[in-house]
Amino acid sequence: MSIIELDNKYVANTYARFPIELVSGKGSKLYDDAGKEYIDMGTGIGVNVFGVGDEGWVNAVTAQLKTLQHTSNLYYTSPCARLAEALCERTGAKKVFFSNSGAEANECAIKAARKYAAEKKGAEYFNIITLNNSFHGRTITTLAATGQDSFHKDFLPLTDGFLYADAGDIDGIKALAEENKVAAVMIEAVQGEGGVVPLTEDFVKGLEAFCKAEDIILIVDEVQTGNGRTGALYGYMKFGITPDIVSTAKGLGGGLPIGATMFFDKTEAVYTPGNHGSTFGGNPVAAAGALNIIERLDEDFLAEVNKKHDYIIDQLSVCEGVKGITGLGLMLGIETVKDVNEVLKACQENGVLPIKAKNKLRLLPPLNIPFEDLERAVEVIKNACV
Ligand SMILES: *Cc1c(COP(=O)(O)O)cnc(C)c1O
């Protein structure tokens, strides 16, 4: 049996996969089982921020792997403490909780917001407002947070206490908060799975001011937008706001599973021993890799990310087959004249692997993709679009 047949027979049927078996890679290149080369414009959904087999990351991970691979949170380890310090120093957060995925990072944020509100205002202040078209994960609670009915179907009842407003509709959020007892508002800086749709600065700033005035916790889900992806260390920084809680995952791990929930001034003391936990959370191997990544996402590096953004926009905005481009940094959604599935197939045939978000082509290349690889990928995408 081929690997594709074996997978189809034995792996749970939850993913619509492309008929490609990837076996190796280097930098922004991936290779399939026949040795065909691809330029990676998806990075495993925004995870491999420094591409495949990046030397600094591999060295950090293997050194820790050979020393001590896991301890549980009953003991202290250096990578976990140092990663928390780096995240706090770079963001202004005061405390970090580590988990293993985006959904878990959001669960942690939601629990913290509810506990904050319960203690401050009363247990009836449990509602969380999220946005229509959002995506926050696949657990029963993060599905409830996800403002898209199509994800809810067949899994009801979900966790109680989630309300939805339209992105940009600050009055809608104010009205919901007047009619209901609200603990938090949760947003993505750019709605990734929703079609790479950025929020507007006016809306985000208005929301920050409203949440501050009403003592409502502002959670920013930076699972996809975080860790340099938008050209800022975290997407919210592009809007010049300070959230109360930030969740992240994907790119933080650089290829290993890790989730992080950051608590700012208001929320730093919410959790006390016994409130929350994770066996694998803060795993030293994943944390050592993440620390290497965060240390390298400096201002010069982020300036390069923004340059690459500008290059893609310059090239694709004049392409006849492109109707529009949305997104920030190296998280872009391309609305194509042709059916996106056709465009995607042509890209794959010609050695480029972007992904999809709704009806758009989604580009999430390695943040350090060499210009020559980016040029080649953009050329293939242009040709696939017309
Ligand atoms: C991917 C994603 C999640 C879920 O992350 P998992 O690691 O798959 O649990 C949550 N929120 C956003 C914005 C995401 O893009």
Side-chain angles (χ1 to χ4, degrees):
M1 245 189 253
S2 73
I3 291 301
I4 290 178
E5 287 165 342
L6 205 61
D7 188 295
N8 289 342
K9 179 154 185 212
Y10 290 111
V11 175
N13 190 25
T14 60
Y15 302 108
R17 297 194 212 265
F18 299 117
I20 297 172
E21 181 200 339
L22 294 173
V23 294
S24 67
K26 189 67 203 163
S28 47
K29 308 269 177 55
L30 292 167
Y31 301 93
D32 71 12
D33 56 326
K36 179 171 169 179
E37 182 178 286
Y38 301 88
I39 298 175
D40 184 9
M41 296 296 281
T43 50
I45 321 188
V47 167
N48 300 333
V49 288
F50 284 102
V52 178
D54 170 80
E55 203 184 320
W57 180 81
V58 168
N59 286 344
V61 165
T62 35
Q64 184 58 43
L65 185 59
K66 287 175 179 168
T67 310
L68 179 59
Q69 81 272 26
H70 175 78
T71 58
S72 86
N73 285 295
L74 298 174
Y75 307 98
Y76 293 94
T77 63
S78 158
C80 174
R82 286 169 58 223
L83 175 59
E85 174 193 41
L87 288 170
C88 288
E89 283 187 344
R90 294 292 300 279
T91 62
K94 294 290 157 59
K95 290 262 190 297
V96 186
F97 179 87
F98 291 114
S99 53
N100 315 285
S101 67
E104 281 176 275
N106 285 337
E107 290 267 354
C108 172
I110 291 163
K111 280 177 71 176
R114 282 196 168 167
K115 184 157 188 276
Y116 176 89
E119 288 172 350
K120 199 84 189 276
K121 299 179 174 177
E124 68 280 17
Y125 281 80
F126 57 73
N127 290 292
I128 315 272
I129 300 174
T130 66
L131 300 181
N132 289 315
N133 198 45
S134 58
F135 182 83
H136 297 294
R138 302 284 198 158
T139 62
I140 286 288
T141 296
T142 56
L143 269 185
T146 293
Q148 301 189 57
D149 286 341
S150 58
F151 287 95
H152 297 175
K153 194 181 155 288
D154 296 336
F155 302 112
L156 303 176
L158 304 176
T159 304
D160 221 359
F162 285 85
L163 308 163
Y164 313 99
D166 286 333
D169 184 11
I170 190 83
D171 292 336
I173 289 177
K174 287 179 180 170
L176 280 178
E178 246 168 54
E179 292 154 17
N180 304 275
K181 297 188 179 345
V182 168
V185 178
M186 177 151 92
I187 57 171
E188 298 156 89
V190 181
Q191 295 189 325
E193 303 307 308
V196 199
V197 187
L199 300 183
T200 64
E201 185 165 333
D202 275 357
F203 172 64
V204 175
K205 284 214 161 118
L207 193 56
E208 181 197 33
F210 173 68
C211 287
K212 275 216 167 77
E214 299 295 321
D215 198 8
I216 289 171
I217 297 299
L218 179 58
I219 304 171
V220 184
D221 174 348
E222 297 263 1
V223 171
Q224 194 163 155
T225 50
N227 315 298
R229 181 52 59 189
T230 64
L233 185 61
Y234 288 96
Y236 74 81
M237 294 171 173
K238 284 234 154 162
F239 300 116
I241 62 154
T242 306
D244 299 306
I245 302 178
V246 170
S247 58
T248 192
K250 289 193 168 93
L252 180 62
L256 284 174
I258 189 169
T261 311
M262 296 180 245
F263 301 102
F264 289 68
D265 291 316
K266 220 185 232 189
T267 50
E268 67 162 313
V270 170
Y271 280 133
T272 53
N275 291 158
H276 200 52
S278 163
T279 301
F280 281 116
N283 169 273
V285 177
L291 180 61
N292 175 268
I293 285 173
I294 290 298
E295 283 174 343
R296 291 160 66 191
L297 296 175
D298 59 20
E299 289 311 312
D300 290 345
F301 184 87
L302 295 172
E304 284 295 306
V305 170
N306 287 310
K307 257 194 222 161
K308 288 168 190 171
H309 164 97
D310 292 344
Y311 172 78
I312 298 175
I313 300 284
D314 281 351
Q315 292 291 313
L316 292 185
S317 58
V318 295
C319 173
E320 261 178 39
V322 171
K323 275 201 249 177
I325 310 173
T326 55
L328 298 174
L330 288 176
M331 177 174 179
L332 294 168
I334 318 288
E335 203 186 337
T336 54
V337 174
K338 278 203 223 162
D339 179 74
V340 66
N341 296 303
E342 247 180 81
V343 175
L344 197 60
K345 194 152 173 273
C347 286
Q348 290 169 352
E349 281 167 6
N350 291 290
V352 173
L353 297 181
I355 57 176
K356 259 193 334 183
K358 292 272 172 77
N359 64 338
K360 291 181 190 166
L361 201 67
R362 179 170 26 159
L363 308 184
L364 298 167
L367 301 183
N368 65 345
I369 185 171
F371 248 102
E372 63 198 73
D373 290 353
L374 187 60
E375 278 166 14
R376 222 176 91 199
V378 165
E379 200 55 39
V380 167
I381 292 167
K382 271 194 205 163
N383 290 333
C385 283
V386 294

